[in-house]
Amino acid sequence: MEIPSAFIQTKVAMHGEEGRIWSEGLPALLEEFAEAWGVTLGEPFANPSFNFVVPGKRRDESDVVLKAGFPGAGSEMRAEAAALHHFGGRGAVQLLESDVARGVLLLERAIPGRMLTAVEDETAATLTAARLMRRI
């Protein structure tokens, strides 16, 4: 799996030499977790900026994404995993597996639908947003 040079440059700018080392080890990290969690990886999503996200399928054919971010004490992955665990799939994707110490999450894949900003009826859009907020 090829890691785009722009992504590596971002990691180096943010984390110095550790960012470069982490980026170079990213393909092996993704393969390790794909194997451990029974995921066949597809092609990475285009133009990663902060996290590297790859769609895949589990053995049961369910659609998932493997998400990897630079690990560490200040990593947002820890907070994201905690929030998704708390939501339990209500109003957000479900957290299926995680190793926050290494910065890797396995998530239910969400297929984008219609943006609320595209809904012409502002009342309907507001009610939809309020129902979602109540669920989470």
Side-chain angles (χ1 to χ4, degrees):
M1 178 174 306
E2 188 173 332
I3 308 302
S5 61
F7 180 79
I8 295 170
Q9 290 170 1
T10 298
K11 291 298 158 197
V12 170
M14 294 175 70
H15 306 289
E17 182 65 10
E18 288 181 349
R20 184 189 61 73
I21 293 167
W22 179 82
S23 297
E24 289 175 355
L26 191 52
L29 181 74
L30 294 168
E31 287 299 327
E32 175 188 339
F33 280 96
E35 184 177 326
W37 292 336
V39 175
T40 301
L41 296 174
E43 290 298 313
F45 290 112
N47 306 316
S49 56
F50 195 69
N51 296 303
F52 200 81
V53 184
V54 183
K57 284 202 178 283
R58 289 190 109 174
R59 290 185 188 111
D60 66 2
E61 294 298 311
S62 59
D63 291 319
V64 296
V65 294
L66 191 57
K67 181 177 183 176
F70 188 81
S75 170
E76 88 289 346
M77 297 300 258
R78 189 174 308 280
E80 181 177 352
L84 291 174
H85 177 75
H86 174 76
F87 295 149
R90 294 178 312 274
V93 296
Q94 187 171 3
L95 175 66
L96 303 171
E97 304 278 355
S98 67
D99 187 327
V100 293
R102 295 186 64 200
V104 183
L105 306 178
L106 183 66
L107 307 170
E108 167 187 37
R109 183 168 181 189
I111 306 299
R114 188 170 166 203
M115 300 285 292
L116 280 180
T117 56
V119 176
E120 292 181 22
D121 182 339
E122 288 185 30
T123 301
T126 302
L127 287 172
T128 299
R131 282 190 207 106
L132 175 60
M133 285 185 258
R134 181 185 290 155
R135 287 175 53 194
I136 59 173

